[in-house]
Amino acid sequence: MPNHDITSPLITSDHLILTVDPPPTATPPFTAGGNPFTFLGCDENEALTVPAPMTVDPFKNNTPNIEGFYEWLKMLLCLPIAIVRLVLFGLCLAVGYIATRLALEGWKDKENPMPKWRCRLMWVTRICARWILFSFGYQWIKRKGRPAPREVAPIIVSNHVSYIEPIFYFYELFPTIVASESHDALPFVGTIIRAMQVIYVDRFSPSSRKHAVKEIKRRASCNRFPRVLLFPEGTTTNGRNLISFQLGAFIPGYPIQPVIVRYPHVHFDQSWGNVSLGKLMFRMFTQFHNFFEVEYLPVISPLHDKETAVHFRERATRAIASAMNVVQTGHTYGDIMLYMKAQEAKQENPSSYMVEMARVESLFHIRSLEAVEFLDKFLAMNPDPSGQVQYHDFLKVLRLKACPLSEKIFAFIDVEKCGTITFRQFLYGSAYVMKHRGFHEACEEAFTECSDSVKGYIVEQKLQDFMQHAIPSWNENEVHELFMLFDDDNDGRITKDDFHSCLKKNPLVIAFLTPHLQHKECGGNNGVLEIV
């Protein structure tokens, strides 16, 4: 036995390798704290804030189906009346269409107001519109207040519940309307809309919206044009709430007259909502009478030349919400798009995927189309009937490996610490990263670190080298899966455009590609600790 004294070293070699057993894989909910995106400039203790979802659905029709003995009996009794009403509707639509074609015949200068003799001919179509309302069961219409003179209020804004109020306004005011370009292609109706000198707008095109605002201002400034009518909500609601108003009616800075429409009912909700047009028309035809009320509110004028469009909009919104005795939500047409996408995916509760897009746009400047792309990604994660996604499905779609950094990212999004995430949390988390001021710079650094400086693109071997240096626990197959996430066109290379496009769709992945990545966040070195 060697003779060691107290001063002899316990370890004689200058190189030692210790093998340690890695800790067992954690299962959600994860308790890992801290912000995994500190490299973007975030504070370590900065938590993701996700507001609680609204409990109201401003688009839901309360009577989508025929229910109850009374409704079925009424429908059967009204079937003969419905046939007569349908004939009347078709006849009025045909006469109105012919009159409109005659009024538009030979008219070339449509940038200027319609000549008076053509406007007089359009009265035939306007009378037909009133008979169409009659055929839908609106034998009388209750009015409160009066339209202000066009010289006093050149712009009218109204809440939007059904396809009935545009027909009413056409008959009552014959205004110029702002409408989607898709309306022009509607049979018969498209021709009548053109006679109103409609201002077409593509809601997804900034240049189109800017042009529409210029047209609104030009026509509002000229008394020879009719009033300009806008539905600032941009879509129909159930009439029991207001949703976010667009700014188009308020940017020109002219006085506006708010108008409220109501559809009092007991058995039949006349709002469009999630009911098909054909079904809604049939239900209207088979009612004894449908109630419709219109209230003209006092004119609202800009306070001064320096009042912002946002403040002007807020005053108008408060006036309408107060008169209707309802609250305003942060929903927009973008929420309808999310609802329809979830419905197409046959989700059990599509309304749970609405996120109040006005708030999201305000916080992160995320457009509706971008939100729909994030929903596509989330739906690929196989959410359960309650709209929750599990950790392993989250990793599978993002092509990530289960490791401490993945757990930290998931825990960051799982603000309720329940072990699952909702679409709202996924959207807020993704938007938080993507719209952070350091995100673009981090993407540039990551591409520079991973790419070949000569070729200017990333090949799989370069990504393998980078990932095995940054995250030694990832094997070749796992890195290959990540490479395929970026190589969308399967050409074996990731260009700079491919790289940035993928990270915009999957911004959470940037945490794995930053050159400042700490190895301790990614699971060490396969349980091997080397001491030199």
Side-chain angles (χ1 to χ4, degrees):
M1 179 176 180
N3 185 21
H4 293 298
D5 60 26
I6 195 169
T7 61
S8 299
L10 295 176
I11 301 175
T12 58
S13 173
D14 61 353
H15 192 95
L16 179 67
I17 295 178
L18 299 177
T19 302
V20 296
D21 292 329
T25 303
T27 57
F30 302 118
T31 58
N35 190 318
F37 302 100
T38 53
F39 61 90
L40 295 178
C42 311
D43 187 83
E44 172 68 23
N45 298 317
E46 183 181 347
L48 178 66
T49 302
V50 181
M54 285 284 293
T55 57
V56 299
D57 181 351
F59 309 107
K60 183 179 180 181
N61 184 301
N62 279 346
T63 61
N65 300 311
I66 303 173
E67 296 178 353
F69 176 76
Y70 172 74
E71 277 298 296
W72 280 102
L73 178 62
K74 180 170 58 176
M75 183 193 70
L76 292 173
L77 292 174
C78 289
L79 277 178
I81 301 175
I83 295 173
V84 175
R85 287 175 170 175
L86 181 61
V87 172
L88 178 61
F89 167 77
L91 182 63
C92 292
L93 186 62
V95 172
Y97 173 76
I98 294 171
T100 303
R101 287 296 300 266
L102 292 174
L104 294 176
E105 186 66 30
W107 184 33
K108 304 293 185 182
D109 187 16
K110 296 181 181 179
E111 292 298 314
N112 290 313
M114 179 179 279
K116 289 188 178 299
W117 72 268
R118 296 182 185 272
C119 290
R120 294 191 186 99
L121 188 55
M122 284 302 299
W123 262 107
V124 176
T125 308
R126 293 172 67 179
I127 296 298
C128 287
R130 181 62 187 93
W131 279 102
I132 287 175
L133 292 175
F134 185 90
S135 71
F136 281 124
Y138 300 97
Q139 291 88 357
W140 62 86
I141 297 171
K142 183 179 179 180
R143 295 173 176 81
K144 183 178 180 181
R146 291 185 177 181
R150 193 252 180 250
E151 297 77 12
V152 175
I155 298 177
I156 288 178
V157 295
S158 171
N159 64 317
H160 198 6
V161 179
S162 183
Y163 60 86
I164 292 299
E165 55 263 17
I167 301 174
F168 169 80
Y169 288 129
F170 173 76
Y171 160 70
E172 180 101 330
L173 303 173
F174 191 48
T176 290
I177 64 170
V178 180
S180 170
E181 293 177 344
S182 60
H183 289 79
D184 188 68
L186 294 174
F188 300 103
V189 177
T191 301
I192 297 174
I193 288 177
R194 285 195 292 274
M196 300 171 72
Q197 294 188 267
V198 63
I199 300 172
Y200 290 116
V201 61
D202 178 357
R203 69 175 84 233
F204 303 116
S205 168
S207 60
S208 177
R209 295 198 303 269
K210 188 175 181 179
H211 176 264
V213 170
K214 287 183 179 179
E215 274 299 296
I216 293 169
K217 188 171 184 178
R218 182 177 78 89
R219 300 190 190 192
S221 65
C222 177
N223 287 330
R224 292 170 54 220
F225 277 106
R227 300 172 178 85
V228 180
L229 168 67
L230 295 99
F231 298 105
E233 293 170 295
T235 187
T236 56
T237 69
N238 57 21
R240 292 181 292 279
N241 297 96
L242 281 181
I243 63 174
S244 180
F245 278 15
Q246 303 300 310
L247 284 172
F250 309 97
I251 293 175
Y254 285 92
I256 66 169
Q257 182 174 30
V259 186
I260 295 171
V261 295
R262 301 183 183 91
Y263 294 84
H265 66 276
V266 175
H267 301 284
F268 169 47
D269 184 353
Q270 300 154 61
S271 64
W272 203 332
N274 53 351
V275 181
S276 67
L277 177 60
K279 187 174 184 179
L280 189 62
M281 290 177 63
F282 176 77
R283 294 290 303 277
M284 287 182 176
F285 283 143
T286 54
Q287 302 293 313
F288 295 121
H289 173 73
N290 291 309
F291 292 90
F292 181 39
E293 297 178 357
V294 181
E295 181 179 358
Y296 294 93
L297 299 180
V299 174
I300 301 177
S301 300
L303 295 176
H304 44 71
D305 292 340
K306 294 184 179 180
E307 183 182 30
T308 64
V310 173
H311 187 261
F312 191 15
R313 175 183 65 181
E314 289 175 355
R315 290 197 299 121
T317 302
R318 284 196 299 269
I320 295 176
S322 177
M324 293 177 64
N325 194 27
V326 300
V327 297
Q328 185 183 34
T329 72
H331 295 86
T332 68
Y333 181 76
D335 289 283
I336 292 286
M337 296 170 62
L338 295 173
Y339 177 95
M340 293 173 66
K341 175 63 69 174
Q343 192 176 51
E344 287 174 11
K346 308 214 180 308
Q347 293 300 301
E348 192 169 302
N349 185 17
S351 61
S352 67
Y353 291 88
M354 296 190 293
V355 295
E356 294 185 270
M357 275 303 302
R359 291 186 181 182
V360 178
E361 290 171 2
S362 175
L363 286 171
F364 304 112
H365 306 289
I366 290 285
R367 296 172 299 158
S368 298
L369 291 176
E370 290 177 301
V372 171
E373 289 182 356
F374 281 119
L375 180 55
D376 265 330
K377 183 71 64 176
F378 186 83
L379 291 173
M381 298 177 186
N382 191 30
D384 63 23
S386 63
Q388 307 276 339
V389 160
Q390 303 287 334
Y391 175 60
H392 63 275
D393 290 318
F394 171 80
L395 296 182
K396 182 178 179 181
V397 171
L398 294 184
R399 315 283 181 90
L400 300 178
K401 173 185 172 68
C403 66
L405 182 56
S406 298
E407 295 170 7
K408 194 172 183 179
I409 292 172
F410 192 83
F412 179 72
I413 301 175
D414 180 17
V415 295
E416 296 179 0
K417 307 307 175 192
C418 61
T420 57
I421 59 172
T422 64
F423 171 65
R424 179 184 289 263
Q425 293 166 352
F426 177 71
L427 176 63
Y428 269 75
S430 300
Y432 168 88
V433 175
M434 186 173 70
K435 295 302 180 179
H436 197 282
R437 61 183 179 275
F439 179 72
H440 181 74
E441 182 180 349
C443 293
E444 291 286 340
E445 290 182 8
F447 183 79
T448 301
E449 190 75 13
C450 298
S451 64
D452 188 308
S453 58
V454 177
K455 297 179 179 178
Y457 55 81
I458 302 172
V459 294
E460 187 167 348
Q461 186 58 51
K462 288 287 291 183
L463 186 63
Q464 291 274 3
D465 295 341
F466 172 82
M467 294 300 291
Q468 289 184 357
H469 172 71
I471 316 176
S473 63
W474 280 42
N475 59 43
E476 289 188 6
N477 289 335
E478 290 162 345
V479 178
H480 173 74
E481 285 295 317
L482 185 62
F483 183 84
M484 296 307 296
L485 179 69
F486 286 86
D487 187 20
D488 194 43
D489 53 5
N490 295 315
D491 62 353
R493 63 179 67 180
I494 304 171
T495 65
K496 193 171 186 178
D497 288 341
D498 292 338
F499 191 77
H500 282 270
S501 175
C502 181
L503 285 176
K504 283 184 179 180
K505 297 176 183 177
N506 307 276
L508 302 175
V509 176
I510 188 62
F512 291 86
L513 298 171
T514 171
H516 308 297
L517 186 66
Q518 299 295 319
H519 292 199
K520 64 184 179 69
E521 296 286 5
C522 303
N525 194 15
N526 288 322
V528 177
L529 177 64
E530 185 173 358
I531 301 175
V532 179

